[in-house]
Every structure is written in structure tokens, then in C-alpha cells.
Amino acid sequence: MSTEPPETTENAEPGTPGEASDTADASSKTPAEPESAAAEGEQAPGARQVSEAEAELLAQRAERERIERRKAERQEPIAAGGKLSGTAADLLAAVRAVESGEKPAAAVSEESRPAPRRPAPEPVRPAPPAAVGPAPAPGVVAAVREVLARGGAPEGLAVRAADVLGEEAAQALRDDPWLLLRVTGVRPEQADGFARALLGGGAGPDDGRRERAVTGWLLEQAAEAGHTALEMSALTAALARQGIPDAEEAVRTAISDGDVLVFQDPLPRTGPPAPQRAGAAHGEDGTDDAEDAEDADEERPVRVLVGLERYAMAEESLAGGLARLVDSSPEQGGPGTEWERAAASAGGSAGELIRAVAGHGLVLHTGGEASLAEPAALLRAAHGLGLRAWAAAHTPVGRTRFAALLEAATAGDTGPGSGAADTGADVAGEAGAEGPGVATVAGLLSGAEGPGRDADGALLLDLLVVLDAPRLDVEAAALVTESLPDGARLLLAGDPGVLWSAGPGRVFADLLAARACPQVSSRRPDPGPLGELVSGIGVGELNQVAAPGREVVIVPVRDPGEAVHRTVQLVVDSVPRAIGVPAEETQVITPGHGGAVGTRALNAALKERLNPGPGRFGGFDPGDRIAYSPARGRTVPGRVVKADADGLHLSCAGEAVVVPQERVEQSVRHGWALTAHQAAGDRWPAVVVVLPGDAVRALSRPWVYTAFSRADRHLSVVHGVEQALPRAVAEVAAKPRTTRLPVLLAPQVPAPAG
């Protein structure tokens, strides 16, 4: 690892420190103090042709409708929660009151149990000329804009408010100003000011409308931070910090009104088992073993969780889908001897992977970038055995890279089950005689890519490999599992060291911890100095590595101004000259959007050098490098082509995208500099990671691992955090997330003995 001496420069004028944490790294937020990431917010479709993102939203909507139907069929009361007291007992009493009819009916979760197989979704295959639905009518937007102006709220929120609240948005806001909290980026203090302007003295902290809105807002912020539910004590504490006079009553009201669900999840036993009555083991005291087990369960402590129905039902659906895969008998696709011959030909951990997938419906695979050769070998073997095999990556870049790997390996492979006849096939296209196919997860679920679906809505495939599996949130994972037909195999492959999903849940980590299915760890290390550096970070060590080809360069800086200057110098001059990587193939990664060295400041400086212009269309000019976020947690790199009355025309991964003018601010950012979450799933020939002094609190081992591992050939680190970097790598693990998947899986998929 070489160190480039700092250059004496004039400091750029520093901005106000703030927003240092990666706003897309939702795990760093707390429910009470979230940070808005408007560019990564969910997009509402407009009156345009169906795009991949819009089709994905349609697929998600269909899934939620199916979940609603299932919920309507399951109205049994939850089981007793053991020995509860205090607020937990009050919450349980509120739920029972609802069930007995004393209050309006509410949706209440029942105790976790194996979920039956649900019908697969209807096929969703968008037709290019079709329209998704009308954008908010100009009259609706104008009426909302008028209400916002009267309340002193930014009129720029009008389109988003009309999207969220519908045609009656203006009247809804007059009746309940706190509904403004449903708009992405609005905080309680802003909604309070809006409410006071409209309602005057009637807008108090104890207003029931405020309590309901703030409760929902806190749970949405928790979901953005990665939690699928919150412990009741955490929610009531957050409500108290928001000025709710009686937080516990507010939660009880939310439960009885059906705004949230309440769960009682058993806690793991920490002490010795309870003593058994004499003769109880054989039922000699006149009771059976089931009654004894029930008595033991009543003594078991529980934790009370509350959550939004959307994420709770998705997590429950996911658990049922995973259990179905684990319990199913996969279609062989050929004699066992053929699988064994393919495994023996592959050898090593690739052979282990083929053997595991041959006999199991669900398998996990862990490893770095080099380990992708093993899922590629599996896909070739499965295709050679006659199976319909597909892979799905999370980004277009990931799809292209894996397709190239698969095609190159197939062209040179003549072993058993290799599908050698597929040489030169377009593996990113349709699977079949040509070879395995590669899609994006979003495209597969929406129907824009992939093998299509049968009459029951199940994907027409026998094996699905999901790459970058740590990026799966509970909703996407539920859609994937429920879309697979009976007898299909699912391989979740990914690097456990990277940042978790931008959406709620930690699906891959929960499954690894549950040990409910075979797990194959790759023994292929990433090569070279970069591979050595990243491997060390993965185990908590920031090692100095030999970099004879300047693969790793450290650039120390003293202040934010110098950090910005050196970053621009590296991208524009040093890396192209010394490494041979042009500026358009070099990516800057920094911890946050705001602050003196956030993405906004760096993108402004890089635009000035690389594509100066007046920014006539929302700050953008033709040729600008951008990051387009069609939905929350998804970022697609691209460039601006032009702007006209239709909107901002982009080229994203070879696809033409038109973003209407009213959507540009919330879905398009300049893309020379990204956060680590935005960059996850993609790789570039050269990466410049910027670590300014105000980024210390944002650093963690997963963040550093993700940022450093985005580089293929060269990594420059603009280093201004001194010893905070090795300390973060050694000591700061991923922030915990509250999820229910392990509890939901436990009774359905028991962990193997030992």
C-alpha cells in the first residue's frame, strides 16, 4: 500500500458539517431521528409507458393484495403471551378487547405457525405501449399546492402529496394536516407547523390525529432503518420524544384502530430448564406431554413487538415460502449420477455447491467477487442436465458482469454437464437452448425480464440463483420465494461482509444464523492486493498490503476543503494518468449526501471540472453523470441525454428513461459521487473512497468493506479520519436490526441437530 504525499492547495470553502452518515445506509438511523433520502424514495408512476420500475411496483401491489386476501382468511386470536405485566399486559388486553368486539375490529397477528402455500401471483408482464395510470391531475395538484401555501409548507411537495393521498388530497390535508407526514422527507416538527397554520390553537400535541400520524411515521422510519418491527418499549420511548403526552395509550389506540400489529415472540431461554414433575415424562401424573409443554411455554418470557402490517405480512409470507422450499423435493433434472459427475468435474467448493443444490430446495452460498465462478459452474451444470436455470443480480451492472462471466466460462468449458454447445450464446437473453439466462431481480419480478410465468403465476424455471443476496429486503425476498414453483431450487449467493439491504430486514444474515438449509462457503479468495485488503477487513483487520502496481493508494488530507480538492484531482488527472483509467470509469464513494464532503459537494465540484454547464433542467445538463432511483433502495447509474417538455431523458444501462419534470428532484442525483449503499452491487475499474473528518460516526466494518470492494483495479483512499478507520474496521459491526424472520422460521424449519 503506497502513500501519496498531500499536495499544498488552497482550501475550498467548507460547508456546514452534517448529514455525515450515509443516508441510504438506513441501519445507521434511529426511529426518532431519521434522515431523509429523497433521491432514494419510492417513485409513484406517472402517465407514461410502463418502465421496469413501474412494472415492479405493479408486481409488489399484486403481492400485497394477495397478502390481504390471506390475512382475511386468518382471523384467529393470538395466543397468550405468558406472564405479562405493565404496558405489555395493557397491549394484550387491548388486542383481546378488539377480538371480543368491544372495539372496532383490527388486524392482529396470530402466533407464528407454518404458513400454507399461497396461490402464486398473476403473471405481470408489462406491454411497452400500455400506460400504468394517470399522474395526479393538474387540478388536484393545484388544490394541494394552495393548501400547502396556506399552511406555510413548500409548494414543491404538492405532486408527492397528491400521489400519496389521491384525488381528495387537498380536503384530506384540511381535515387532518398531519397526513403530510406520509410524504417522504417530511418530519413531525414540519407537520406540526403546517397543522398550527391551518388549525390554529386546535393543533395540540395530544390531538389524536397527530398521535396516529406520528406512530405510523416512526414505524416507517424504523423500516427505513432496516427494522421490520419495533420493541414496544422503543416505540413508546420514541413517541414520548416526539411530545406525545401518553405514548402507551397512543400505541393501544393504534392497535385497536388496526394501524399497527402486535406480536409476542418468545425469547431464547438463558437459564437452566424448569424442573420436571416426577413421572411427567411418561404421563404418569394423569396429564399428557402436550399439556406439560404448554405449561412450559407459558413460563417462557416473550418480547412484545409492534409493526406495520405491510412488512409484518411480507416477513410472514417469506418465512412460509422459505419453509416450502426447504421441505420440497426438488426436481432432479437428471439422474443423481449426472449431478455427481458434474460436481466431480467442477471440483472444490464449486463441486460442493452443485451437490448441495442437487438435493435441496434452498441453499446459501457465501464468498467474494471471485466466488461468482461457482454459481456460474452450477448454472452451466444445471442447464446441461436439462433444467431451466436463471440468475438474477440486483443491478444492471451486476447482470452484465455475471452474464459475461457465464458466457466466457461456457465458451471454454467442454466438461460433463457444461452445456458446451452454448458457446457464444447471449446468456442475458432468454434461457433455453442458448444457455442459462441472467436478469435483474426487479426485472424478473416485474416480468420485464426473465423466463415468464405459467398460468398460475409461477416463474417458468427450475433453478434460480439470486446474486448479491444480502441486498434482499423482506418484500423483495417474499416476492422471489412465492414466485417459485413447487420443486424449484433457490440459491441465495452473496458476500456476508457487505452492507445489508436498504429496505427492512436482514434476510441473508438471518438465514445464515438460522442454519436451516445447506451453506457452502467459497474457498476462492479475491486476487491481488485489493483482494488481500478486503479479505482482511472482512475479519476486522486493516492490513497494509504490498501494491507494486499502485493498486491501493492512500491520500492523507487535513480538512474538508483539501479532501474535495484531492478527490477532484484524483478523478480528473492522477488516476487517468498514473493508472490508465479514464474519469468516466472512476467512481467516488463517500459516507453521506450532505456535509462539506458529501455527495452534493463532491458532485458539484466534479461537474464543474468534467461537464460544466448552467444546469437549466433542475440542475442537470446533457452529458451529466447521474444516479437514478426508480424506487426506494434502488440506484441505477446513467447519463443525461437531453431535456424537453416531456422531462429529463436519461440513458441507464442502455435503457432510455424519461423522468417527468416533477419527479426529477426526488429521483435523480448527480452520480460522479455516490454513497456506499448506492454503489453496492456495482463495481468500477477505479474507485476513490473519501473519508472526511466528519464521517467518523458513519464508519463501520460493513461500510468500509462495501466501499473498498467496489474497485476492480485501483483504489484511492482520501483519508482524513486518522485512527478512526482501523478502529471502525476492528470494532464497529453492523448496527442491529429488529426482525422476526428467525422466530417465524423456527417452528417451520428446525435447525439441524448440532
Side-chain angles (χ1 to χ4, degrees), residues 15 22 25 30 64 92 142 206 230 337 350 370 375 468 486 516 553 564 586 588 600 646 664 715:
D22 185 346
D25 181 4
T30 64
R64 286 196 290 271
L92 188 56
D206 58 346
L230 279 182
T337 54
D468 297 322
D486 291 332
V553 172
V564 172
T586 300
V588 176
R600 297 187 188 101
D646 293 331
V664 171
L715 170 69

Short mmCIF file of all heavy atoms in Angstrom, two decimals, residues 15 22 25 30 64 92 142 206 230 337 350 370 375 468 486 516 553 564 586 588 600 646 664 715:
data_model
loop_
_atom_site.label_atom_id
_atom_site.label_comp_id
_atom_site.label_asym_id
_atom_site.label_seq_id
_atom_site.Cartn_x
_atom_site.Cartn_y
_atom_site.Cartn_z
N GLY A 15 -18.30 23.66 3.99
CA GLY A 15 -19.72 23.82 4.27
C GLY A 15 -20.02 23.46 5.70
O GLY A 15 -19.14 23.23 6.51
N ASP A 22 -24.30 7.94 5.90
CA ASP A 22 -24.85 7.55 4.61
C ASP A 22 -26.35 7.51 4.73
O ASP A 22 -26.92 6.67 5.37
CB ASP A 22 -24.30 6.16 4.24
CG ASP A 22 -24.71 5.72 2.87
OD1 ASP A 22 -25.63 6.34 2.31
OD2 ASP A 22 -24.12 4.78 2.36
N ASP A 25 -27.73 4.36 3.99
CA ASP A 25 -27.42 3.30 4.96
C ASP A 25 -28.41 3.41 6.09
O ASP A 25 -28.17 3.97 7.13
CB ASP A 25 -25.98 3.47 5.48
CG ASP A 25 -25.62 2.37 6.47
OD1 ASP A 25 -26.46 1.47 6.67
OD2 ASP A 25 -24.52 2.42 7.03
N THR A 30 -32.02 6.13 13.74
CA THR A 30 -32.87 5.72 14.83
C THR A 30 -34.30 6.06 14.48
O THR A 30 -34.56 6.95 13.69
CB THR A 30 -32.48 6.45 16.13
OG1 THR A 30 -32.70 7.84 15.94
CG2 THR A 30 -31.03 6.19 16.48
N ARG A 64 -49.08 -7.51 -2.41
CA ARG A 64 -49.75 -7.01 -1.21
C ARG A 64 -51.23 -7.37 -1.21
O ARG A 64 -51.82 -7.65 -0.16
CB ARG A 64 -49.56 -5.50 -1.11
CG ARG A 64 -48.16 -5.11 -0.67
CD ARG A 64 -48.10 -3.68 -0.19
NE ARG A 64 -48.28 -2.73 -1.28
CZ ARG A 64 -47.28 -2.26 -2.01
NH1 ARG A 64 -46.04 -2.63 -1.78
NH2 ARG A 64 -47.50 -1.39 -2.98
N LEU A 92 -51.85 -6.37 25.38
CA LEU A 92 -52.54 -7.63 25.16
C LEU A 92 -54.03 -7.49 25.47
O LEU A 92 -54.89 -8.02 24.76
CB LEU A 92 -51.91 -8.73 26.01
CG LEU A 92 -52.42 -10.16 25.74
CD1 LEU A 92 -52.24 -10.51 24.28
CD2 LEU A 92 -51.71 -11.14 26.63
N ALA A 142 -52.93 21.51 -8.13
CA ALA A 142 -53.13 22.93 -7.84
C ALA A 142 -53.86 23.12 -6.51
O ALA A 142 -53.51 24.02 -5.72
CB ALA A 142 -53.91 23.59 -8.98
N ASP A 206 -51.57 16.57 21.90
CA ASP A 206 -52.41 15.43 22.28
C ASP A 206 -53.52 15.17 21.29
O ASP A 206 -54.41 14.35 21.55
CB ASP A 206 -53.00 15.67 23.67
CG ASP A 206 -53.83 16.95 23.72
OD1 ASP A 206 -53.71 17.77 22.79
OD2 ASP A 206 -54.57 17.14 24.71
N LEU A 230 -40.70 -3.03 15.83
CA LEU A 230 -40.01 -2.37 16.93
C LEU A 230 -40.47 -2.96 18.25
O LEU A 230 -41.65 -3.31 18.40
CB LEU A 230 -40.29 -0.87 16.95
CG LEU A 230 -39.51 0.04 16.02
CD1 LEU A 230 -39.92 1.50 16.25
CD2 LEU A 230 -38.01 -0.11 16.22
N THR A 337 -26.47 -39.64 -10.67
CA THR A 337 -25.11 -39.85 -11.16
C THR A 337 -24.66 -38.70 -12.06
O THR A 337 -23.48 -38.35 -12.09
CB THR A 337 -25.03 -41.17 -11.94
OG1 THR A 337 -26.03 -41.16 -12.98
CG2 THR A 337 -25.27 -42.37 -11.02
N ALA A 350 -16.98 -25.40 -5.72
CA ALA A 350 -17.99 -25.42 -6.77
C ALA A 350 -18.68 -26.78 -6.82
O ALA A 350 -19.91 -26.87 -6.99
CB ALA A 350 -17.37 -25.09 -8.13
N ALA A 370 -14.63 -13.25 -6.59
CA ALA A 370 -14.09 -14.41 -7.30
C ALA A 370 -14.99 -15.63 -7.18
O ALA A 370 -15.00 -16.49 -8.06
CB ALA A 370 -12.69 -14.73 -6.77
N PRO A 375 -21.36 -20.17 -8.63
CA PRO A 375 -22.73 -20.18 -9.16
C PRO A 375 -22.77 -20.30 -10.68
O PRO A 375 -23.71 -20.91 -11.23
CB PRO A 375 -23.29 -18.83 -8.70
CG PRO A 375 -22.49 -18.46 -7.51
CD PRO A 375 -21.12 -19.01 -7.77
N ASP A 468 -25.80 -11.26 -4.96
CA ASP A 468 -25.85 -10.12 -4.03
C ASP A 468 -27.02 -10.28 -3.06
O ASP A 468 -27.75 -9.32 -2.77
CB ASP A 468 -25.99 -8.79 -4.78
CG ASP A 468 -24.80 -8.50 -5.66
OD1 ASP A 468 -23.68 -8.82 -5.24
OD2 ASP A 468 -24.99 -7.97 -6.77
N ASP A 486 -43.43 -25.17 -7.18
CA ASP A 486 -43.06 -26.32 -6.36
C ASP A 486 -42.03 -27.16 -7.11
O ASP A 486 -42.13 -27.38 -8.32
CB ASP A 486 -44.30 -27.18 -6.07
CG ASP A 486 -45.26 -26.48 -5.12
OD1 ASP A 486 -44.81 -25.66 -4.31
OD2 ASP A 486 -46.48 -26.75 -5.21
N ALA A 516 -30.81 -23.32 8.68
CA ALA A 516 -31.95 -24.18 8.37
C ALA A 516 -31.80 -24.86 7.01
O ALA A 516 -32.69 -25.61 6.62
CB ALA A 516 -33.23 -23.36 8.40
N VAL A 553 -3.76 3.25 -3.02
CA VAL A 553 -3.04 4.48 -2.72
C VAL A 553 -3.78 5.22 -1.62
O VAL A 553 -5.00 5.38 -1.68
CB VAL A 553 -2.91 5.38 -3.97
CG1 VAL A 553 -2.33 6.74 -3.61
CG2 VAL A 553 -2.05 4.70 -5.03
N VAL A 564 -11.97 17.67 -0.82
CA VAL A 564 -12.67 17.89 -2.08
C VAL A 564 -11.66 18.11 -3.21
O VAL A 564 -11.78 17.52 -4.30
CB VAL A 564 -13.64 19.08 -1.96
CG1 VAL A 564 -14.22 19.43 -3.33
CG2 VAL A 564 -14.76 18.77 -0.98
N THR A 586 -14.22 5.93 -13.28
CA THR A 586 -13.80 6.07 -11.88
C THR A 586 -14.99 6.54 -11.06
O THR A 586 -15.66 7.50 -11.43
CB THR A 586 -12.65 7.08 -11.76
OG1 THR A 586 -11.55 6.63 -12.54
CG2 THR A 586 -12.22 7.24 -10.31
N VAL A 588 -16.50 7.81 -7.29
CA VAL A 588 -16.22 8.35 -5.97
C VAL A 588 -17.29 7.85 -5.00
O VAL A 588 -18.48 7.86 -5.32
CB VAL A 588 -16.21 9.89 -5.99
CG1 VAL A 588 -16.02 10.47 -4.59
CG2 VAL A 588 -15.11 10.39 -6.93
N ARG A 600 -23.30 15.76 -2.47
CA ARG A 600 -23.72 17.01 -3.12
C ARG A 600 -22.51 17.90 -3.41
O ARG A 600 -22.37 18.44 -4.52
CB ARG A 600 -24.73 17.74 -2.24
CG ARG A 600 -26.03 16.98 -2.01
CD ARG A 600 -27.05 17.82 -1.28
NE ARG A 600 -28.21 17.02 -0.90
CZ ARG A 600 -28.42 16.53 0.31
NH1 ARG A 600 -27.55 16.79 1.28
NH2 ARG A 600 -29.47 15.81 0.58
N ASP A 646 -41.20 16.84 -22.19
CA ASP A 646 -41.58 15.56 -21.60
C ASP A 646 -40.86 15.27 -20.30
O ASP A 646 -41.33 14.50 -19.47
CB ASP A 646 -41.32 14.41 -22.58
CG ASP A 646 -42.23 14.48 -23.80
OD1 ASP A 646 -43.35 15.00 -23.66
OD2 ASP A 646 -41.80 14.02 -24.87
N VAL A 664 -38.08 14.78 -11.08
CA VAL A 664 -36.62 14.85 -11.17
C VAL A 664 -35.99 15.07 -9.81
O VAL A 664 -35.03 14.37 -9.42
CB VAL A 664 -36.20 15.96 -12.16
CG1 VAL A 664 -34.69 16.20 -12.08
CG2 VAL A 664 -36.60 15.58 -13.58
N LEU A 715 -7.75 1.43 -6.10
CA LEU A 715 -8.47 2.06 -5.00
C LEU A 715 -7.62 3.19 -4.45
O LEU A 715 -6.49 2.98 -4.02
CB LEU A 715 -8.78 1.05 -3.89
CG LEU A 715 -9.33 1.63 -2.58
CD1 LEU A 715 -10.75 2.18 -2.78
CD2 LEU A 715 -9.32 0.57 -1.47
#
